Amino acid sequence: ETGVTQTPRHLVMGMTNKKSLKCEQHLGHNAMYWYKQSAKKPLELMFVYSLEERVENNSVPSRFSPECPNSSHLFLHLHTLQPEDSALYLCASSQGLAQNTEAFFGQGTRLTVV
Amino acid sequence: RKEVEQDPGPFNVPEGATVAFNCTYSNSASQSFFWYRQDCRKEPKLLMSVYSSGNEDGRFTAQLNRASQYISLLIRDSKLSDSATYLCVVKGQVGSSNAGKLIFGQGTTLQVKP
């Protein structure tokens, strides 16, 4: 099975709630990613961390706040979300950012904002 | 223009058919290319990397045309279990604006029918 684990698998939250998504990888990788997948749209890259430093913030609204305390863990803190933020949030990891290194994905958190 | 473009399909083919998908990318600095497969409500999984010389893995053949900036995937002798969405992915060259970023196409849906 996948070496990238995401929790929770499903989350329903109100617009005033604060919640966090968790991702853990057991592959010894040093780069981690957050992607958003909405219906009928390509995966959108949100954040990239390499060696626990954020190297990409793809114009993501501040209501999404990532945290990478170590190379194995990645969090996405959520607050005051909007209904259009409902989507599948996928975490991935890879062995660095170099060419030819593929990413391995977690099973995702399906988020519904009500 | 989208960075990675694919025909979303769906492609409906009978078992045993040969089917080909194409993908074009806009950033000539892209250096690595992949095909991922995503089953309904599941995470994307690497199908195969795409090498400059072309590569084959069983019934699957991937080819890259750098001059025209397109990638193809050929599936021979289609099986029912091949039904999925196939995602074209490009990765930027280290040092470029897309360094380390995996950029996904919208995906092409394949439905193999008995």
Side-chain angles (χ1 to χ4, degrees), chain B residues 10-94:
Chain B
F11 284 57
N12 294 301
V13 303
E15 269 188 292
T18 295
V19 61
F21 307 137
N22 289 328
C23 163
T24 58
Y25 60 95
S26 60
N27 190 332
S28 59
S30 300
Q31 281 293 312
S32 301
F33 309 90
F34 308 92
W35 283 101
Y36 275 71
R37 168 189 171 137
Q38 186 171 25
D39 292 286
C40 187
R41 304 185 76 80
K42 297 286 186 69
E43 75 276 19
K45 293 185 178 179
L46 179 69
L47 178 66
M48 59 196 304
S49 301
V50 186
Y51 302 123
S52 296
S53 55
N55 49 300
E56 188 174 308
D57 183 1
R59 297 182 293 108
F60 299 85
T61 301
Q63 294 201 312
L64 168 65
N65 184 322
R66 286 189 186 273
S68 302
Q69 293 182 206
Y70 84 77
I71 307 141
S72 65
L73 177 68
L74 183 76
I75 305 175
R76 290 180 298 277
D77 189 21
S78 300
K79 311 291 184 192
L80 295 176
S81 57
D82 293 334
S83 298
T85 297
Y86 291 84
L87 303 169
C88 176
V89 185
V90 304
K91 191 173 190 181
Q93 181 181 19
V94 174

Side-chain angles (χ1 to χ4, degrees), chain A residues 17-86:
Chain A
N17 291 159
K18 288 184 180 182
K19 296 286 184 183
S20 296
L21 309 185
K22 178 182 176 182
C23 176
E24 183 174 0
Q25 58 95 2
H26 311 277
L27 301 169
H29 290 165
N30 55 23
M32 296 187 78
Y33 311 77
W34 279 117
Y35 280 87
K36 174 184 178 182
Q37 188 174 34
S38 305
K40 300 196 183 301
K41 292 175 73 174
L43 272 78
E44 301 170 53
L45 180 63
M46 300 176 73
F47 301 104
V48 180
Y49 276 83
S50 177
L51 299 171
E52 300 148 46
E53 281 194 30
R54 191 191 308 181
V55 297
E56 181 72 28
N57 177 350
N58 224 19
S59 303
V60 178
S62 60
R63 58 185 184 270
F64 296 91
S65 174
E67 179 190 1
C68 187
N70 55 61
S71 59
S72 299
H73 293 86
L74 185 65
F75 295 90
L76 188 63
H77 304 299
L78 316 171
H79 66 97
T80 58
L81 295 192
Q82 305 297 311
E84 60 265 28
D85 296 322
S86 299

